[in-house]
Amino acid sequence: MVEISAKSVYKIFSKKKGEVYALKDINLTIESGEKFGILGPSGAGKTTFMRIIAGLEAPTKGELLFDEKVVARNGKVIVGPESRNIGMVFQNWSLYPNMTAFDNIAFPLTNMKISKSEMRQKVEEVAKVLEISSVLEHYPRELSGGQQQRVALARAIVKSPSVLLLDEPFSNLDARIRDSARALVRDIAEKLRLTVIVVSHDPADIFSISNRVGVIFQGELVQVGKPEEIYNSPKSFHVARLIGEINELKGKVIEEDGKNILSIGNLAIPISGGYRGEVKVGIRPENLRLEEEPREEGWVEAGKVRVKITTYEGGHFKVTLTPLGDDQEIIVFMDKIPKEEEMKLFVRPSKIMFFKY
Amino acid sequence: MMRERRVLSPYTKSVLHYIALTIVSVIWLIPVYAMIINGFKSNLEVASSPVLVPPSHPTLSPYMAVAHVLETPIINSLIVAVIASLLSTILGSMGAYFFYVLSNSYFRGSGMLSNFLFSLIALGTFIPYEATLIPLTRFIVDINLLNSYPGLIVSMLIFYIPTAALLMSLFVTVVPKSLIEAARLDGAGDVKIFFKVILPLVIPGFISTLIFIIIESWNNFFLPLVLTTTPSMRLVPVAVEAYTGGYGTLYNETFAVATLASLIPLIIFIFLGRYFIRGLVALGGAGKGV
């Protein structure tokens, strides 16, 4: 296990049109044994950051430390990737096509001074945990996607790495087996007490594996915290949208009978807090409900909405609504198809997020 | 209204293709045909009958007469060509891997350095042998290798390592960069990555390059001409050129010598030709490594 810290890390690519900042002033410490997620849209610099940790790239400015020992500084790699004891699962798995699954998994061990029998024992041990013992003599091209991913994972963990890096590890898997793969990775990491860094644009990967998340936007680390913290109180609308589905709405806060009311078209929601005038709010779909659905305490009626379209998605119906006299779209999820065209919308005011305009 | 177009039937089309292919093949094969049949003619007939007419009384005697002449040159050529081409293909492949790694390295300016060195090597490939005659000969004389196998091999390496690096670059760059990175993270050094990961994946390309260089070095006339001084060190192309028969030019025997001299590259190509084609195919299909 190892503690990794980045101190004002920059990565600047010089292009013909000038300099492109892939990473800007990243300051971060990933504790030993932590499961850290890096979330960001594509092109945000998250893979670059992971490659810097792996030693495949050098930071243009700044330092990277492993257990307080400098491994890269100001454009120079001081400790190379081969000496950092890193296990990495690549996005496309990068299995050696000319070797069997066994040889793939054993490859990192051949670079260490250990005996043949010990090597075989270690490979078989890992294969057993990952349930790939039966395919060890097969070549990668003869394996299914899920098996290939397990072989890649086995290759990454067989040498007991001090840190396990996962670069979009599930994006090449079928949706059907993605969840079991996530559970497997989490269990293995737990069992081997590994420091894990997972990079993904899919919040599901982050939620299932990590206990702390850093959100990268245009090369900048915008927010670091627990996944649910970022989900419930994101720093910006971009972060909010990245970590889950959210309705972005423009409205106005007005005072009525001494109470603050958020008005969006014909919808009126009583809120607390000192917001005034034009506001931008974010409301997650689970905090909105149509009148047919059951509600506990804390829900208030917001007003009538018109059902625009209903689609089916992942086990429930996704309903697109608009307030009357306004064309902003609101998305809610339901267990059944809404019966009428105009219905009452309920909302949990405490869960509404306000963002800078 | 659509204009009526005359469309050839698939059958007619393929017949036309084959006719075209046949014409090209015939043009290519005429000199080979002439070389082979004239070796079977007697000395009188080869001078009196037209070159493309087959012998009226085929005889093996010209071949028998020259067989011993080529014995030493063929052994010389085999030693030089096989060693030179194996060495240059292996070293050239390593060079190609080096350029690939260098162009992907994060060191500042490594991309430019890689491009510069690569251009230099490409330039080296296109320098004609004749232009290097004096410096090359001086060099080989200075290191005391004139008229020896090592001298011939060294001079061939000078020309064929760049050629191999150039050709192998086409194949090596098809291997995904992430495989090299994975191997590096697994703790492997460059030599191990090259032999365990890169080389097995570019074997078809490696064999294509090897065959190309064997044939190039086998047919190389100029280097053995200037770097050998005694008949016992002659390679096949020089021996063929030097052969004129006992007391005057015996054309039938010259043709026989030429035929025998072509046999070795032909045999190599027949046995390894499918790898040659496979290598070229792998290149065209952008060989999916993963």
Side-chain angles (χ1 to χ4, degrees), chain B residues 70-110:
Chain B
L70 279 180
E71 237 169 65
T72 322
I74 282 181
I75 291 167
N76 289 346
S77 267
L78 272 177
I79 292 172
V80 171
V82 168
I83 295 177
S85 47
L86 267 175
L87 274 179
S88 52
T89 311
I90 290 174
L91 292 174
S93 307
M94 286 176 149
Y97 168 68
F98 170 73
F99 285 121
Y100 187 41
V101 169
L102 194 62
S103 66
N104 285 315
S105 165
Y106 44 73
F107 291 113
R108 197 167 292 181
S110 62

Side-chain angles (χ1 to χ4, degrees), chain A residues 50 53-54 66 81 84-90 108 152-167 194-197, chain B residues 182 185-186:
Chain A
M50 175 165 274
I53 293 175
F66 274 37
R84 289 191 191 182
N85 195 19
I86 281 173
M88 183 160 171
V89 177
F90 287 79
L153 186 60
R155 185 179 67 182
I157 61 176
V158 72
K159 59 178 176 181
S160 333
S162 47
V163 53
L164 176 64
L165 304 181
L166 307 166
D167 186 7
L194 293 167
T195 306
V196 179
I197 303 177
Chain B
L185 283 169
D186 285 344

Side-chain angles (χ1 to χ4, degrees), chain A residues 51 94 96-97 110-111 159, chain B residues 178 181 185-186 192 196 289:
Chain A
R51 290 171 60 82
S94 290
Y96 311 120
T110 60
N111 300 311
K159 59 178 176 181
Chain B
S178 63
E181 292 176 346
L185 283 169
D186 285 344
K192 183 164 181 185
K196 290 277 177 181

